[in-house]
Amino acid sequence: MTMIKCISPVNGEVYAERPAMPLELAKQAVGHARLAQKSWAKRPVEERVKLVLAGVARLNEMVDEVVPELAWQMGRPVRYGGEFKGFNERSNYVASIAADALKPIIVEESDRFERRIEREPHGVVFVIAPWNYPYMTAINTVAPALMAGNTVIIKHASQTILVGERMVRAFIEAGVPADVFQNLFLDHDTTAALIAAKSFDFINFTGSVEGGRSIERAAAGTFTGLGLELGGKDPGYVMEDADLDAAVDTLMDGATYNSGQCCCGIERIYVHESLYDAFVEKSVAWVSNYKLGNPLDPETTLGPMANKRFAATVRHQVADAVSKGAKALIDPKLFPQDDGGAYLAPQILVDVDHSMEFMREETFGPAVGIMKVKNDGEAIELMNDCQYGLTVSLWTRDPERASRIGRNLETGTVFMNRADYLDPALCWTGVKETGRGGSLSILGFHNLTRPKSYHLKKVTA
Ligand code: NAP
């Protein structure tokens, strides 16, 4: 029997393991989800919304278990209290718009015609979730999919193997029927085999570009709808009129929070030449304040990366950039806890350019490159010189300028004076290799349902 294991970044030991489900059993579970979907969809939307929110509330009651469990699984320090803020904000927002988002679009209601577009759930939705924000990324699809009348099967990342299990437990304890929301422990082959057998009506995959490609390949020819939320290399651009301290604070937090393991984390920063020196100096001071260490220690502000192989990628990119002329500004002596493994000191690189892998490939760690620019044109060109496009963070006092620059950027979201945030009222989406589709907002509901058109011509005697 294959075991799926979570190796804890805290001490490198197995923290949890579960047997991978055999294909035949997984197919049976999908069958149960399909059967349950019909009656779930017949319930009024208000009832589904209420049950989902009850599940969310039940999970909140588990906070004392969830927070240390997250630290053990993926290294986030306990002082941050898990990810309940975003988890609840997203759930509550989608609940508040569900009925409206799902209501029919009436085109005509006259004595001659009824013409409208109704929204129907897809059926069984499959959610494949990553470890970096394991609850928040999952809820983006789980909550609206269930509210829309789909049943959901979740397969969580091995690194956060307990998260899907816990979410499902909370929802079932809150009254969601067991077959409506199921967690399956699946290895890659079984996942691919289920997808290829057309088990699902819609798949939301959040993870790496390589993972996204595998899922797309598995789904080829099945015509299963796919939402792909993949990697990023998000830039910040600090203009000459920016609020410098606010820019340093938000961009450094965006680059390093969660050990830099955020899909919309800041990975490269372009600063107008007039502010460059001050920005770099303040950023170094900001990052130097981190306390790297055991995430279960309440004093720790920067935990280990989730896995030593992720830290190895960051170390490789930094070393490669330095060998090509980049300068590393954070003194490693400030972070004696860096063990060459999962515990990794943060880093800021200057004298970087786009010939370096560090400035082009996703780093997904607490390291960021800073470049000087002369004007908006140069900044736009550099920001677009990338295969990814999730968010950009523009720093200026001029919203018109931000909008003008935004129209020239290849990205899913344009932020001004903000970064590393997901607004559940807006569509979470990306361009280029960051994927396709969109979650949250009213459009997220549309992607989790299909339109059905009614054209009813009345008989007039
Ligand atoms: P990952 O290795 O691609 O894994 C993501 C999920 O997909 C996990 O559940 C993983 O399961 C599963 N998976 C990967 N390859 C698979 C395959 N061939 N067949 C079946 N399942 C497969 O990504 P990750 O390292 O967990 O997450 C980090 C990546 O996610 C980063 O690139 C980040 O930018 C991206 N991300 C994007 C967003 C967004 O909104 N765009 C949000 C969060 C994260 P196992 O763990 O069992 O391998």
Side-chain angles (χ1 to χ4, degrees):
M1 177 183 293
T2 316
M3 297 301 283
I4 300 178
K5 295 183 181 177
C6 160
I7 310 287
S8 172
V10 176
N11 57 8
E13 290 174 12
V14 175
Y15 173 65
E17 57 185 329
R18 295 289 184 271
M21 195 177 226
L23 181 60
E24 278 319 304
L25 278 185
K27 282 186 172 168
Q28 280 174 28
V30 175
H32 295 150
R34 197 161 290 291
L35 268 181
Q37 194 265 329
K38 300 273 176 266
S39 51
W40 178 247
K42 284 203 178 94
R43 297 195 190 200
V45 61
E46 293 74 20
E47 195 179 316
R48 296 194 300 259
V49 167
K50 211 169 140 191
L51 279 167
V52 170
L53 288 184
V56 169
R58 179 70 194 104
L59 191 78
N60 275 258
E61 288 167 7
M62 298 174 174
V63 58
D64 291 345
E65 295 157 77
V66 167
V67 172
E69 202 171 79
L70 271 178
W72 277 107
Q73 289 177 95
M74 48 72 72
R76 183 175 313 126
V78 291
R79 67 182 289 122
Y80 298 120
E83 48 203 59
F84 285 99
K85 190 164 168 260
F87 186 82
N88 294 341
E89 183 189 18
R90 295 170 193 192
S91 308
N92 290 330
Y93 182 76
V94 293
S96 74
I97 63 164
D100 248 11
L102 295 168
K103 77 176 183 221
I105 299 169
I106 309 287
V107 179
E108 181 176 352
E109 254 178 358
S110 69
D111 47 5
R112 293 188 58 226
F113 286 104
E114 282 181 29
R115 293 157 62 223
R116 63 180 176 274
I117 306 163
E118 293 189 3
R119 307 238 42 118
E120 294 210 340
H122 286 303
V124 182
V125 170
F126 187 36
V127 175
I128 306 178
W131 49 266
N132 65 322
Y133 280 96
Y135 285 101
M136 291 206 295
T137 51
I139 202 68
N140 290 351
T141 305
V142 169
L146 289 173
M147 289 172 187
N150 300 286
T151 50
V152 173
I153 290 184
I154 186 167
K155 173 240 165 302
H156 223 296
S158 309
Q159 193 69 48
T160 42
I161 188 134
L162 302 181
V163 170
E165 183 180 70
R166 186 175 279 287
M167 270 178 89
V168 165
R169 199 174 102 206
F171 277 52
I172 289 172
E173 285 177 12
V176 173
D179 291 341
V180 165
F181 183 26
Q182 298 180 68
N183 172 64
L184 304 187
F185 299 109
L186 300 173
D187 62 23
H188 290 188
D189 287 348
T190 310
T191 305
L194 282 174
I195 293 172
K198 207 168 169 21
S199 304
F200 308 108
D201 304 294
F202 186 81
I203 302 166
N204 183 274
F205 174 89
T206 308
S208 60
V209 172
E210 254 335 286
R213 281 207 181 95
S214 306
I215 299 306
E216 201 176 52
R217 269 196 296 271
T222 66
F223 307 124
T224 309
L226 279 184
L228 297 170
E229 301 182 16
L230 312 177
K233 184 82 191 164
D234 288 358
Y237 170 34
V238 182
M239 297 169 224
E240 71 286 350
D241 66 337
D243 176 338
L244 182 62
D245 288 331
V248 168
D249 193 43
T250 303
L251 290 173
M252 284 305 118
D253 185 64
T256 53
Y257 183 74
N258 208 33
S259 297
Q261 302 163 120
C262 308
C263 53
C264 54
I266 296 295
E267 300 219 348
R268 50 200 177 109
I269 303 175
Y270 307 99
V271 185
H272 188 265
E273 55 191 3
S274 61
L275 291 184
Y276 179 81
D277 289 340
F279 183 88
V280 170
E281 189 186 329
K282 282 170 185 270
S283 296
V284 170
W286 196 102
V287 167
S288 302
N289 275 329
Y290 265 122
K291 185 172 182 308
L292 175 67
N294 187 321
L296 295 152
D297 176 351
E299 298 294 309
T300 294
T301 53
L302 190 70
M305 293 195 65
N307 193 298
K308 66 179 181 192
R309 75 174 193 279
F310 305 142
T313 300
V314 185
R315 291 178 202 281
H316 158 77
Q317 283 191 8
V318 168
D320 178 66
V322 168
S323 77
K324 290 178 174 143
K327 198 165 149 204
L329 298 183
I330 302 294
D331 183 353
K333 287 198 211 76
L334 289 175
F335 295 94
Q337 308 85 347
D338 186 327
D339 64 350
Y343 289 83
L344 173 74
Q347 192 50 272
I348 292 176
L349 296 188
V350 291
D351 297 343
V352 285
D353 63 49
H354 279 217
S355 70
M356 298 167 182
E357 192 185 327
F358 181 72
M359 292 300 280
R360 301 180 65 88
E361 286 299 327
E362 188 172 39
T363 304
F364 222 55
V368 62
I370 308 179
M371 275 177 81
K372 192 187 289 187
V373 290
K374 284 191 166 37
N375 52 42
D376 293 352
E378 189 184 359
I380 290 168
E381 203 171 306
L382 286 166
M383 285 191 277
N384 284 340
D385 181 29
C386 180
Q387 81 240 34
Y388 303 107
L390 186 58
T391 77
V392 298
S393 173
L394 304 178
W395 289 81
T396 172
R397 292 167 204 267
D398 181 353
E400 264 180 43
R401 184 176 175 189
S403 301
R404 198 168 58 241
I405 293 173
R407 281 181 212 109
N408 288 292
L409 293 174
E410 295 152 7
T411 188
T413 295
V414 177
F415 287 118
M416 185 181 88
N417 303 331
R418 281 209 85 150
D420 192 21
Y421 170 67
L422 186 157
D423 178 347
L426 302 180
C427 186
W428 191 244
T429 185
V431 298
K432 303 196 223 175
E433 291 196 3
T434 293
R436 67 163 197 251
S439 55
L440 296 158
S441 77
I442 189 170
L443 300 185
F445 275 103
H446 286 186
N447 287 337
L448 291 164
T449 51
R450 57 195 154 80
K452 187 188 252 183
S453 295
Y454 287 79
H455 182 115
L456 311 181
K457 184 178 177 191
K458 296 180 182 172
V459 177
T460 44

